[in-house]
Amino acid sequence: MASNPPTSDSLQAFEILKDIKPKFAMINEKDFFEHKFTGLKDLPYLDREDVTLYCLTEEEFIFVRTTPGVNIFDTEEYPFVYNIQHKSAEEMLIASHEAVYQYLKTKPERDGSNIAYLHNPGRCGSTLVANMVSKTKQCEVQSEPTPVLNLSLIFNKKDQPVTRESREYLDLIKATFLLLCPDVNKKYFIKPWGIETMSLFPLLHQALPGIKEMLMCRDVRPTVLSFKKLIPEQIYKSIIPMKMSLQPPNYRDLWEKVKRGEGDPDEAFCFFILSTYHAYMEETRDRDDIKSYSYESLIEHKELFTKSFLKEIGVEEEYVQAAMSALEVDSQAKSSSHNQKRTAGVKASVSDETMEWAVKLAKEEFGIELEGEKGRVHNMPHQWNKV
């Protein structure tokens, strides 16, 4: 029996003022300007197509109403959904977790079977794959939706890492994904922010048993190089303490054990990448339903990779050529954040000493076998190949 919808005062709506809109781009910056707004709406307001989840905190969900006619899933202009939401935001809406849980109880029960989710460490071709899926027009694609990152950061700052026994978080995970993917008649594809989101591995399938999960991976050395080329040099050298503070507590503790000196940034990014692969391996010890796909296999076997990947997410083979058309363009070329620092022509290197350290770390701490000068994971489970 469906429960009664929450009362109107459980959801607050605020008009977004144009002169402070740039502040809205920052994650969880609502407190900066909340006092500037007035107004209330009923929770059924969330049923509108132009109202979408923007971010969340430990107490509230934050939504935006965007300009009428704007499709936030259109990756042609921006590859990341938060770019479109920010540019087109007209109104901000805030609701407590409990109010949203009650609202979702008035909806049909769902298990996430229309959602596909691509785990990744970042800089591994995942944005390209998201763009390939978008080209098929068969899925609503959300690339790096902020709420998924918010979820992970909430878990990562706990004193203990989340596990399959952390069932107290399942309602929050389920609500977040159902709000991101509200239409039961559409397929959705979510490519999250990399590095910090590995804490979802043990919980996602429990919250949504029907969700389709995959992992995108890449050889370690070129992945580190890609980060190093992307991030301005001075930031790259100083960012590690902040980035490490956002990791799950078990990986933060391990870094303190294995780092050399104050912590070399190249070694830290090796650590970030290997941590993601380790989290995947831990979750798949007794699961064979999370297939891993590599950037190298995409480049070497474009059509076969595309056929397999589309089949995995439930898209028919007739859309293979449409998906492959994304390989002809730079999937991140129109992202303002990436235009500021394009990787082409930027000189960078990762030393052999760093890779030797990574090989030792991978084997001794993670049970990961790296091979070759590029650091390919030899024992990655459930990996797609062309056979």
Side-chain angles (χ1 to χ4, degrees):
M1 181 176 178
S3 59
N4 294 325
T7 58
S8 61
D9 61 359
S10 62
L11 183 73
Q12 302 176 67
F14 307 101
E15 181 183 2
I16 293 175
L17 304 181
K18 305 301 180 184
D19 59 339
I20 64 169
K21 199 169 182 180
K23 291 288 184 183
F24 192 65
M26 302 299 292
I27 297 173
N28 293 343
E29 280 288 322
K30 72 179 186 63
D31 292 336
F32 175 80
F33 52 84
E34 183 174 348
H35 65 281
K36 296 178 180 288
F37 305 111
T38 59
L40 293 169
K41 292 285 189 298
D42 291 329
L43 264 174
Y45 195 68
L46 299 184
D47 291 333
R48 294 176 51 143
E49 289 189 357
D50 57 357
V51 173
T52 54
L53 184 62
Y54 179 77
C55 64
L56 62 94
T57 69
E58 291 194 67
E59 294 82 27
E60 297 169 319
F61 290 97
I62 295 92
F63 304 81
V64 292
R65 180 179 62 78
T66 48
T67 304
V70 171
N71 178 11
I72 69 161
F73 303 109
D74 182 3
T75 60
E76 292 298 319
E77 183 173 4
Y78 295 109
F80 305 126
V81 65
Y82 59 80
N83 296 136
I84 305 174
Q85 286 177 306
H86 172 233
K87 179 181 179 182
S88 306
E90 299 286 343
E91 191 172 45
M92 181 178 72
L93 302 95
I94 302 171
S96 69
H97 289 177
E98 188 57 38
V100 169
Y101 297 160
Q102 294 301 316
Y103 163 75
L104 290 174
K105 287 180 181 179
T106 68
K107 304 296 182 182
E109 182 65 23
R110 295 166 57 196
D111 68 353
S113 57
N114 63 330
I115 304 172
Y117 183 88
L118 185 63
H119 299 277
N120 70 92
R123 308 309 297 172
C124 61
S126 56
T127 300
L128 174 59
V129 170
N131 201 38
M132 292 170 68
V133 175
S134 179
K135 289 291 186 182
T136 70
K137 307 298 183 185
Q138 299 304 297
C139 296
E140 301 282 21
V141 174
Q142 296 204 34
S143 190
E144 299 189 7
T146 303
V148 175
L149 175 61
N150 297 148
L151 264 183
S152 300
L153 295 182
I154 288 172
F155 302 153
N156 291 354
K157 70 179 183 180
K158 303 297 182 181
D159 292 334
Q160 298 295 324
V162 295
T163 67
R164 291 182 181 179
E165 283 67 50
S166 306
R167 302 186 63 83
E168 65 271 24
Y169 302 123
L170 297 186
D171 286 344
L172 182 58
I173 294 171
K174 183 174 183 178
T176 300
F177 277 80
L178 295 187
L179 290 168
L180 286 171
C181 310
D183 193 333
V184 296
N185 297 312
K186 292 181 179 179
K187 292 186 177 74
Y188 292 88
F189 180 84
I190 295 178
K191 192 281 290 187
W193 188 283
I195 295 182
E196 290 96 357
T197 52
M198 79 276 278
S199 55
L200 287 177
F201 270 115
L203 296 175
L204 194 52
H205 186 258
Q206 290 195 77
L208 296 163
I211 197 169
K212 305 175 186 69
E213 298 176 76
M214 293 77 59
L215 170 74
M216 192 73 187
C217 56
R218 187 181 183 184
D219 295 350
V220 172
R221 187 175 222 151
T223 309
V224 175
L225 274 173
S226 187
F227 276 113
K228 195 170 186 178
K229 290 179 180 180
L230 174 71
I231 303 170
E233 183 177 1
Q234 291 306 313
I235 296 177
Y236 183 80
K237 291 180 177 179
S238 60
I239 200 174
I240 300 309
M242 183 273 289
K243 296 293 285 184
M244 199 61 67
S245 72
L246 302 179
Q247 302 305 301
N250 52 323
Y251 292 112
R252 294 199 305 266
D253 292 344
L254 179 58
W255 172 247
E256 291 302 314
K257 170 187 171 183
V258 301
K259 70 178 183 181
R260 299 193 292 185
E262 295 300 311
D264 177 79
D266 288 355
E267 292 176 1
F269 274 96
C270 288
F271 182 89
F272 293 144
I273 296 158
L274 291 168
S275 296
T276 301
Y277 298 160
H278 176 255
Y280 166 73
M281 289 180 172
E282 288 294 292
E283 179 59 18
T284 55
R285 285 182 182 275
D286 59 357
R287 292 179 61 185
D288 60 5
D289 59 335
I290 309 181
K291 189 173 292 186
S292 58
Y293 289 85
S294 74
Y295 176 76
E296 290 76 21
S297 63
L298 168 58
I299 298 305
E300 187 175 353
H301 307 289
K302 296 180 178 64
E303 186 169 351
L304 291 173
F305 177 104
T306 305
K307 286 180 180 179
S308 175
F309 195 90
L310 293 186
K311 181 179 179 180
E312 194 73 11
I313 65 174
V315 174
E316 300 295 328
E317 190 172 317
E318 64 185 279
Y319 298 102
V320 166
Q321 293 305 315
M324 290 179 63
S325 68
L327 298 172
E328 301 169 3
V329 298
D330 180 350
S331 61
Q332 296 179 340
K334 294 181 180 180
S335 164
S336 58
S337 63
H338 284 78
N339 277 339
Q340 294 172 6
K341 185 72 176 179
R342 299 300 304 281
T343 60
V346 178
K347 294 183 178 180
S349 63
V350 176
S351 70
D352 290 341
E353 181 183 1
T354 293
M355 289 307 299
E356 289 170 4
W357 177 89
V359 168
K360 185 174 184 289
L361 167 75
K363 182 177 181 179
E364 295 182 357
E365 301 294 344
F366 295 140
I368 296 175
E369 300 173 12
L370 297 184
E371 62 180 12
E373 66 173 303
K374 292 185 177 180
R376 179 161 303 180
V377 178
H378 176 67
N379 59 332
M380 183 71 78
H382 315 303
Q383 187 160 7
W384 172 85
N385 59 59
K386 66 185 180 68
V387 178

